[in-house]
C-alpha cells in the first residue's frame, strides 16, 4: 500500500532533517569557536544532507500523489490535505504528526541558518576591518625622500606582530 511507503519516506525525511539540524549546529560551534579552518568541511556536509533531502522530497511527492489518487484526491494534494482527508483516523493522526514534526524541524533549521549567517557576516566584517587596518597608509615622499602621510613619521606608525606560522 502506498500509504505505508509514504509513512516510511516521511520518517526518513525527518531523520534527514534531524541530521541537517545537527550539521548546522556543528557549523555554528565552529563559527563561535573561531575554527574557520573546518568550515569548508562542515559546509560540504550540510550540502550533502541537503542533496539527500532533495531526493527524499521528490520521492515523497511521488508517494503523496499515489496516495492522493488512491483516496480520490487530486495528485497535487499536500500532506496536510491528505491528513485531513484520510479515510481512517489512524492515518490522519500519523500524517498530521509527521507534518507537525517536519514544520517544527524546518523552523529550527531556519533559525540555525539565520544565526549562522549572522556569525558569518560578523566574521567577514571583522576580517575586512582587520585587513583595512593592516594596509599601509598612502603617503607621499617629502623633500628628503622619506615617505610620510600628512606629517606622520615612520616612528609614529604602529608596529604589528604577525604569526609566522599562518
Amino acid at each position: 500500500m502506498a500509504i505505508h511507503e509514504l509513512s516510511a519516506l516521511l520518517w526518513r525525511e525527518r531523520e534527514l532533517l534531524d541530521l541537517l539540524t545537527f550539521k548546522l549546529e556543528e557549523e555554528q560551534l565552529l563559527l563561535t569557536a573561531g575554527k574557520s579552518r573546518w568550515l569548508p568541511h562542515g559546509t560540504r556536509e550540510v550540502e550533502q544532507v541537503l542533496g539527500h533531502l532533495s531526493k527524499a522530497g521528490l520521492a515523497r511527492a511521488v508517494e503523496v500523489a499515489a496516495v492522493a489518487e488512491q483516496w480520490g484526491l487530486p495528485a497535487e494534494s499536500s500532506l496536510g490535505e491528505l491528513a485531513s482527508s484520510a479515510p481512517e483516523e489512524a492515518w490522519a493522526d500519523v500524517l498530521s504528526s509527521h507534518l507537525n514534526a517536519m514544520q517544527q524541524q524546518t523552523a529550527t533549521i531556519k533559525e540555525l541558518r539565520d544565526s549562522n549567517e549572522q556569525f558569518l557576516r560578523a566574521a567577514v566584517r571583522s576580517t575586512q576591518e582587520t585587513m583595512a587596518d593592516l594596509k599601509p597608509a598612502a603617503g607621499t615622499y617629502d623633500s628628503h625622500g622619506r615617505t610620510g602621510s600628512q606629517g606622520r613619521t615612520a616612528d609614529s606608525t604602529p608596529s604589528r606582530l604577525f604569526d609566522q606560522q599562518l
Side-chain angles (χ1 to χ4, degrees):
M1 230 179 151
I3 187 63
H4 295 286
E5 182 66 24
L6 176 59
S7 183
L9 287 172
L10 290 170
W11 276 115
R12 174 68 179 137
E13 195 167 0
R14 287 174 62 180
E15 289 171 355
L16 287 169
L17 289 170
D18 279 341
L19 183 58
L20 180 58
T21 301
F22 172 72
K23 292 300 178 184
L24 288 170
E25 286 181 359
E26 268 186 338
E27 247 186 9
Q28 189 172 78
L29 290 171
L30 291 172
L31 287 166
T32 57
K35 303 289 185 182
S36 58
R37 165 183 168 193
W38 300 111
L39 278 176
H41 295 291
T43 301
R44 185 172 44 254
E45 289 175 349
V46 167
E47 289 170 354
Q48 288 171 348
V49 175
L50 287 172
H52 293 305
L53 268 168
S54 177
K55 291 174 186 172
L58 182 59
R60 175 180 34 92
V62 170
E63 285 303 318
V64 164
V67 171
E69 286 184 22
Q70 283 181 355
W71 291 353
L73 299 170
E76 61 277 353
S77 295
S78 69
L79 192 54
E81 291 168 338
L82 280 182
S84 64
S85 300
E88 298 174 27
E89 189 164 335
W91 283 118
D93 290 343
V94 168
L95 294 176
S96 293
S97 294
H98 280 303
L99 181 59
N100 291 333
M102 291 170 73
Q103 288 172 334
Q104 289 173 355
Q105 287 173 305
T106 302
T108 300
I109 288 167
K110 183 183 180 311
E111 288 174 16
L112 281 167
R113 182 205 62 199
D114 292 346
S115 178
N116 287 357
E117 185 178 339
Q118 288 176 351
F119 281 122
L120 283 170
R121 287 181 193 274
V124 167
R125 191 171 38 254
S126 175
T127 301
Q128 288 171 338
E129 289 170 359
T130 301
M131 294 302 293
D133 189 42
L134 292 176
K135 289 182 184 175
T140 57
Y141 290 101
D142 64 11
S143 61
H144 301 288
R146 293 181 298 226
T147 59
S149 178
Q150 273 65 25
R152 249 175 55 182
T153 64
D155 294 337
S156 66
T157 303
S159 298
R160 292 180 174 78
L161 298 175
F162 290 94
D163 185 351
Q164 296 292 327
Q165 295 181 358
L166 288 178

